[in-house]
Amino acid sequence: MVRKESLAQLLDEGRRKIQVTDEELAEAKRRRRLLAASVRRAFPGSTTYFNGSVAHGDANTPLTDVDLGIVLTMRDAEPYGPGKKSALPLMEIARDAIHEDLDGEFDKLTIEVEGRRRAVLVRFGDPITPGQADFTADVMTAIPHPSGRGLYIPNTKIADQWDRADPITHTRMVLQAIEDTKVVFARTVRLLKHWNGTHSKPMCSWNIKALCLDCLDEPMPLINALQIFFTYAADEIDKGPTPDPAGVAGPIHLNMPRREVHKRLCTAREYIDLAIEQEKAGHPRSAQHALHQVLPELVPDADGTQEEAGRLARTVLAGGTATSGLGLATPLVTPTRPRAWGD
């Protein structure tokens, strides 16, 4: 007998499949602490900050990287910035300090500086998730912005060599949203990052989180959070690029043409709407089939054909027409319906 599960149960089971393990998280944070100690030693008086999925509380397994930054004092930062020196000397200092402190523990450690756009790339040569090729870290050397709002972060691909950003405020906003929603924010982001990765990565993870910051601000079931996100995100992407939530950096770039991203968001929204409709109508298999289209690797598919046949038979026996028994107001998902990734 096929077990019938609610959408809430399916999503809870799905997000548990991809949630980072305690062991992965503990080791990632340990290595992050080691890196932070090295760069603070290299730049006395500086401060470190953490960002990315581990800092934001929405990391998925397998965990393959961690992010952190070092902010120089105003005095040490004075020679650097747009129109002044690039971050390359700072990145080289960070590289040398990390080698000096960590080579003894990680004998395959390699560190890349040349050609890196924003951050020093640390390759540990030692994965923390079994089966993965490696575990890496991005270490960013940043300087305070003269206005006091945000930072200048490296961008070796532009003439100015520096971009304005505010990763510290970003992390604070995300953590506040997690608290306000009683963890629903982080769990929804985990599911959305998986959706994004499964469907050709139309958006970067930060774009997803930035949109979530605008529409998820209270506790709610995960299925409703997904519905709200896809509805809001489709409308916003249709209008234009997502602005920086901190109001400091420029708009967030998409990984695909905006029209294509909008198409994928709308298709996912349609399937989520249908899943909710089918569950309310008492059709759990049809609801699961619709949800599977959005999260195919997390939610097993279910055949709603028997449910449709049963509804049709009950309608005929009750004296209704065959057409009304097909439930045309909320049609069954069929193979002709567009895929969640817009193909």
Side-chain angles (χ1 to χ4, degrees):
M1 182 177 179
V2 178
R3 184 175 60 167
K4 297 180 181 179
E5 294 181 281
S6 68
L7 295 177
Q9 290 172 316
L10 290 167
L11 288 174
D12 195 52
E13 291 172 4
R15 62 98 181 165
R16 290 179 186 278
K17 291 178 185 177
I18 57 174
Q19 182 172 319
V20 66
T21 66
D22 291 342
E23 293 77 15
E24 288 174 300
L25 204 55
E27 178 59 16
K29 289 182 176 180
R30 185 184 77 85
R31 296 188 189 187
R32 188 178 65 179
R33 287 194 300 271
L34 293 175
L35 293 169
S38 287
V39 291
R40 281 198 301 268
R41 180 180 64 80
F43 301 102
S46 61
T47 58
T48 52
Y49 66 87
F50 301 141
N51 62 318
S53 63
V54 172
H56 292 174
D58 54 48
N60 285 342
T61 189
L63 187 57
T64 57
D65 57 47
V66 71
D67 303 281
L68 69 151
I70 182 85
V71 184
L72 274 64
T73 64
M74 289 294 291
R75 179 179 178 180
D76 290 342
E78 200 281 329
Y80 302 93
K84 301 180 182 179
K85 296 172 66 173
S86 77
L88 182 59
L90 302 177
M91 297 167 77
E92 291 173 340
I93 292 171
R95 175 198 61 199
D96 294 344
I98 295 169
H99 267 308
E100 185 175 342
D101 292 344
L102 273 64
D103 278 352
E105 179 176 354
F106 302 98
D107 56 5
K108 295 181 180 179
L109 185 80
T110 60
I111 305 176
E112 297 178 17
V113 169
E114 202 67 39
R116 298 293 302 168
R117 180 187 180 192
R118 293 205 184 278
V120 176
L121 176 62
V122 179
R123 299 184 184 276
F124 284 89
D126 181 17
I128 65 173
T129 305
Q132 295 304 300
D134 201 354
F135 184 79
T136 66
D138 281 335
V139 182
M140 190 173 293
T141 51
I143 60 176
H145 191 271
S147 69
R149 292 188 61 218
L151 307 170
Y152 273 133
I153 62 174
N155 185 348
T156 62
K157 305 302 183 182
I158 63 173
D160 278 347
Q161 294 287 300
W162 297 87
D163 272 336
R164 194 176 175 189
D166 198 349
I168 297 173
T169 295
H170 291 165
T171 298
R172 184 166 61 246
M173 294 173 76
V174 168
L175 295 180
Q176 185 62 55
I178 293 173
E179 181 180 341
D180 292 343
T181 61
K182 299 189 184 301
V183 195
V184 169
F185 185 96
R187 292 175 178 176
T188 304
V189 168
R190 281 195 174 100
L191 292 170
L192 290 170
K193 289 199 298 185
H194 187 81
W195 163 81
N196 190 56
T198 304
H199 302 311
S200 306
K201 294 186 177 180
M203 311 165 72
C204 70
S205 295
W206 176 236
N207 202 339
I208 290 172
K209 287 187 244 192
L211 289 165
C212 283
L213 284 171
D214 280 341
C215 65
L216 301 180
D217 58 4
E218 62 183 5
M220 66 186 75
L222 284 175
I223 188 64
N224 297 112
L226 291 176
Q227 184 182 46
I228 288 172
F229 170 82
F230 284 121
T231 300
Y232 179 79
D235 290 344
E236 291 301 306
I237 293 298
D238 192 39
K239 297 175 186 175
T242 306
D244 173 29
V248 168
I252 304 170
H253 298 293
L254 298 170
N255 295 335
M256 293 181 178
R258 186 159 58 90
R259 181 175 296 181
E260 188 60 36
V261 177
H262 179 254
K263 181 180 178 181
R264 280 164 163 73
L265 291 167
C266 287
T267 305
R269 179 191 62 198
E270 290 170 7
Y271 276 119
I272 293 295
D273 288 346
L274 183 60
I276 292 173
E277 291 170 8
Q278 292 295 320
E279 181 168 69
K280 287 181 178 178
H283 313 147
R285 291 194 183 93
S286 298
Q288 181 172 339
H289 180 62
L291 185 59
H292 168 78
Q293 310 308 310
V294 182
L295 299 169
E297 295 180 359
L298 300 186
V299 176
D301 201 0
D303 185 1
T305 306
Q306 291 182 338
E307 284 182 347
E308 288 297 314
R311 291 202 296 276
L312 177 59
R314 289 193 296 273
T315 300
V316 172
L317 289 173
T321 65
T323 300
S324 64
L326 289 173
L328 296 180
T330 55
L332 177 68
V333 180
T334 68
T336 60
R337 200 173 170 89
R339 300 283 292 180
W341 48 96
D343 295 338

